[in-house]
């Protein structure tokens, strides 16, 4: 008899985990609190931070799973395209989903894992928590913010839905992450007068540069190998060189100058934000000092009146259904969850977490690789992790608490691929060497070898890598040769 697994959440992480667990013979049931699958991509108020005109900031190739390409989607799919894709994915792999069932408590006893909900309680051999970590927006404390009385009030980007209501109004957008910058640009196009306030200026990378999606440029296998072989200062320099070459530096557009270190400043993807700053249609101010009525005073002492304020200032982690023992074991707080690579804890066998990390770049590829690692581990395809090794990994994570937690998509994707045994070896694919190093981390490249390798994966990956340029040729650019030489010559490789 196959083991039962409950997956909590029918977003991308829950769907792809259910697909791979089912392939390993587990009997999987997905519990979804809402009335539709898709997680954030439903656009449902109160359950999603997706607004009607939102498009992805990741390309269609990296916003897909390895078993199902998009159906004629644009380079950057709309939120409706992504939701349709996820519905098709669930139908293709016959996902068993129970809608409208919100898990209120997850606990463990000697007989397994107990899920409690409004309909009662059910027991499962294993559980996957895939509810996401971007559901509770954070609005930072600002002196006098509660007194704001502009006509459009204060909202978070998570609750932003209608740009048309701001036409002709003065709007302050707080933050420099992707949602803040994309909404600022949308508000300008809708006829609002927009000011952006930020604590620090990030580098801003256009989503598309020289005909190539930027996630194809910066989230590469080379970047992983370089991070393992070269000093952090050299990685910082190389990434900054790529970003500035593609989109310039913010001060060239009239925005504040960022920190010379890209790691210190951070980077955000946005196609239109900096050009709108250059045109004077978006003004940039220091961070908010105080609010009094409809007047916002900034750190430089300058004050302006606004009709509305939109905060794009991040999220806190929230898993209210975990019982006190599980919460204590993983030492859950607003940011952290102790687990080996955000997935397993040695003291919680049969429990896995999916998608509970913060990163730059798209989540679809690493989510699938994490799902395969979980499924292969529980299915016996790859050896179970040594508990002592897991404890060392958890300890190392705890040592980093208080430091910046955001990771890069390519680093975590390759880490999951290695644990799942599906990282392609360069020596086996000489015809794809350049694409595997400097091309996109397309899901097809993780079906080249290892468990569930596909006979047509090489052709699929060659097409994916060449979609926006002849990346599969063996002619390396001078910069690529120089970068690669640094990696292979390093004695730390």
């Amino acid at each position: 008899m196959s083991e039962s697994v409950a997956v909590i959440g029918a977003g991308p992480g829950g769907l792809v985990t259910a697909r791979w667990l089912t392939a390993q013979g587990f009997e999987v049931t997905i519990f979804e609190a809402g009335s539709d699958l898709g997680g954030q991509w439903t656009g449902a108020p109160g359950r999603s931070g997706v607004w009607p005109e939102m498009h992805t900031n990741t390309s269609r190739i990296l916003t897909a799973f390895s078993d199902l390409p998009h159906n004629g989607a644009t380079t950057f799919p709309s939120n409706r395209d992504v939701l349709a894709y996820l519905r098709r994915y669930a139908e293709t792999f016959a996902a068993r989903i129970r809608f409208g069932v919100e898990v209120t408590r997850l606990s463990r006893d000697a007989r397994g894992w107990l899920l409690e909900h409004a309909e009662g309680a059910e027991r499962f051999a294993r559980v996957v928590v895939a509810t996401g970590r971007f559901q509770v927006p954070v609005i930072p404390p600002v002196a006098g913010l509660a007194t704001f009385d502009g006509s459009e009030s204060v909202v978070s980007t998570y609750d932003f839905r209608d740009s048309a209501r701001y036409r002709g109004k003065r709007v302050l957008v707080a933050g420099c992450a992707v949602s803040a910058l994309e909404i600022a640009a949308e508000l300008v196009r809708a006829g609002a007068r927009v000011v952006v306030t930020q604590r620090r200026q990030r580098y801003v990378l256009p989503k598309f540069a020289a005909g190539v999606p930027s996630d194809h440029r910066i989230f590469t296998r080379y970047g992983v190998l370089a991070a393992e072989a070269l000093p952090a200062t050299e990685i910082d320099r190389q990434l900054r060189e790529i970003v500035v070459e593609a989109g310039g530096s913010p001060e060239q557009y009239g925005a504040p100058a960022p920190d010379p270190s890209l790691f210190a400043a951070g980077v955000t993807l946005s196609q239109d934000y900096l050009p709108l700053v250059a045109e004077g249609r978006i003004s940039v101010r220091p961070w908010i000092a105080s609010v009094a009525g409809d007047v916002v005073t900034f750190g430089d002492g300058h004050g302006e009146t606004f009709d509305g304020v939109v905060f794009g200032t991040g999220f806190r982690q929230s898993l209210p259904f975990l019982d006190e023992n599980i919460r204590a074991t993983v030492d859950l707080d607003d940011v952290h969850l102790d687990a080996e690579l955000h997935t397993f804890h040695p003291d919680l066998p049969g429990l896995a977490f999916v998608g509970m990390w913060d990163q730059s770049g798209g989540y679809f590829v690493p989510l699938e690789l994490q799902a395969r690692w979980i499924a292969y581990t529980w299915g016996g395809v790859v050896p179970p992790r040594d508990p002592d090794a897991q404890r060392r990994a958890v300890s190392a994570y705890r040592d980093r608490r208080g430091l910046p937690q955001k990771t890069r998509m390519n680093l975590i994707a390759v880490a999951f691929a290695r644990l799942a045994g599906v990282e392609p070896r360069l020596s086996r694919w000489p015809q794809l060497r350049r694409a595997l190093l400097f091309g996109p981390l397309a899901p097809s490249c993780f079906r080249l070898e290892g468990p569930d390798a596909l006979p047509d994966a090489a052709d699929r990956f060659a097409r994916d890598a060449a979609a926006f340029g002849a990346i599969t040729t063996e002619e390396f650019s001078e910069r690529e040769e120089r970068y690669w030489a640094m990696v292979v010559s390093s004695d730390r490789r």
Side-chain angles (χ1 to χ4, degrees):
M1 181 177 177
S2 61
E3 283 190 317
S4 61
V5 181
V7 174
I8 307 174
L15 293 173
V16 73
T17 304
R19 175 263 185 271
W20 286 101
L21 285 169
T22 301
Q24 286 298 313
F26 292 96
E27 184 179 341
V28 183
T29 303
I30 303 175
F31 290 82
E32 170 54 48
S35 59
D36 196 2
L37 59 82
Q40 291 282 353
W41 297 101
T42 64
R47 293 189 176 275
S48 164
V50 169
W51 62 95
E53 298 306 314
M54 175 182 161
H55 284 67
T56 66
N57 63 338
T58 55
S59 66
R60 68 174 182 271
I61 290 172
L62 299 187
T63 313
F65 300 128
S66 65
D67 286 316
L68 193 70
H70 280 278
N71 271 344
T74 55
T75 300
F76 294 97
S78 71
N79 61 84
R80 294 173 294 281
D81 292 332
V82 177
L83 182 58
Y85 174 87
L86 292 172
R87 288 171 175 162
R88 192 159 55 92
Y89 187 83
E91 181 179 353
T92 299
F93 295 104
R96 181 187 175 194
I97 308 173
R98 290 170 57 181
F99 292 107
V101 182
E102 182 173 3
V103 175
T104 55
R105 189 168 186 266
L106 173 65
S107 59
R108 180 178 62 146
D109 60 23
R111 294 188 293 156
W113 295 91
L114 191 66
L115 266 70
E116 299 176 38
H117 47 74
E119 299 175 7
E122 299 178 58
R123 196 175 302 279
F124 291 86
R126 302 175 189 269
V127 173
V128 176
V129 175
T131 51
R133 63 167 292 144
F134 303 108
Q135 297 172 322
V136 182
V138 171
I139 294 180
V142 174
L145 184 62
T147 72
F148 183 77
D149 58 6
S151 61
E152 299 303 325
S153 69
V154 176
V155 300
S156 72
T157 55
Y158 186 82
D159 297 312
F160 175 86
R161 288 295 184 274
D162 182 10
S163 58
R165 64 183 289 180
Y166 293 95
R167 181 180 302 276
K169 307 264 178 97
R170 289 186 56 79
V171 186
L172 178 65
V173 178
C176 200
V178 60
S179 62
L181 301 193
E182 292 290 87
I183 285 173
E186 183 172 322
L187 286 168
V188 169
R189 291 192 291 268
R193 290 165 290 171
V194 176
V195 174
V196 168
T197 177
Q198 52 199 19
R199 292 187 181 90
R200 72 180 190 278
Q201 175 66 57
R202 295 185 182 186
Y203 289 89
V204 181
L205 182 64
K207 296 196 297 186
F208 217 108
V212 179
S214 290
D215 57 357
H216 289 217
R217 294 176 182 271
I218 61 175
F219 301 119
T220 65
R221 176 93 167 281
Y222 166 81
V224 178
L225 300 177
E228 296 169 344
L230 300 176
T233 53
E234 175 58 23
I235 305 304
D236 191 349
R237 186 195 68 77
Q238 291 185 15
L239 284 173
R240 184 182 182 278
E241 182 179 82
I242 293 171
V243 168
V244 173
E245 182 181 89
S249 193
E251 72 273 14
Q252 295 173 284
Y253 295 80
D259 191 288
S261 165
L262 183 138
F263 286 169
V267 62
T268 297
L269 283 168
S270 180
Q271 190 69 25
D272 300 323
Y273 170 73
L274 285 179
L276 289 170
V277 172
E279 293 173 2
R281 298 168 72 188
I282 292 178
S283 302
V284 185
R285 302 292 186 199
W287 189 244
I288 306 167
S290 63
V291 177
D294 63 353
V295 177
V296 176
T297 301
F298 301 100
D300 60 0
H302 175 78
E304 294 184 46
T305 61
F306 292 95
D307 298 295
V309 182
V310 181
F311 277 89
T313 42
F315 297 81
R316 67 176 178 86
Q317 187 167 245
S318 178
L319 298 169
F321 54 86
L322 298 183
D323 83 342
E324 58 277 8
N325 292 324
I326 300 172
R327 298 174 71 86
T329 301
V330 299
D331 197 12
L332 184 72
D333 64 18
D334 288 352
V335 177
H336 304 283
L337 182 156
D338 287 354
E340 182 189 23
L341 206 61
H342 314 285
T343 307
F344 298 119
H345 192 285
D347 295 331
L348 298 170
L351 178 66
F353 296 91
V354 166
M356 297 296 175
W357 71 90
D358 192 9
Q359 72 171 29
S360 297
Y363 276 82
F364 276 61
V365 174
L367 281 175
E368 179 171 14
L369 293 167
Q370 185 184 32
R372 292 173 72 183
W373 176 36
I374 293 168
Y376 293 162
T377 299
W378 286 353
V381 176
V382 299
R385 297 291 291 165
D386 175 64
D388 289 338
Q390 287 185 313
R391 293 184 199 286
R392 289 193 294 273
V394 168
S395 178
Y397 175 80
R398 288 193 60 80
D399 289 343
R400 296 194 300 274
R401 285 197 175 205
L403 299 174
Q405 295 297 314
K406 190 179 286 289
T407 187
R408 301 194 298 278
M409 172 269 199
N410 51 340
L411 300 185
I412 199 162
V414 170
F416 287 141
R418 289 171 177 172
L419 290 163
V422 297
E423 181 188 22
R425 289 164 288 180
L426 294 175
S427 60
R428 288 199 59 186
W429 308 97
Q431 77 279 22
L432 297 174
R433 177 172 174 263
R434 182 176 182 240
L436 287 170
L437 281 172
F438 296 101
L441 276 182
S444 54
C445 80
F446 298 108
R447 302 299 294 273
L448 287 168
E449 54 187 274
D452 294 297
L454 294 174
D456 67 338
D459 290 339
R460 289 171 53 191
F461 178 59
R463 289 194 298 271
D464 289 341
F468 298 96
I471 194 77
T472 56
T473 68
E474 276 299 290
E475 294 182 11
F476 281 54
S477 71
E478 180 180 347
R479 184 176 67 188
E480 288 170 346
E481 288 283 13
R482 173 164 48 87
Y483 281 4
W484 183 239
M486 291 181 185
V487 172
V488 297
S489 65
S490 172
D491 59 7
R492 292 196 294 157
R493 190 184 186 290

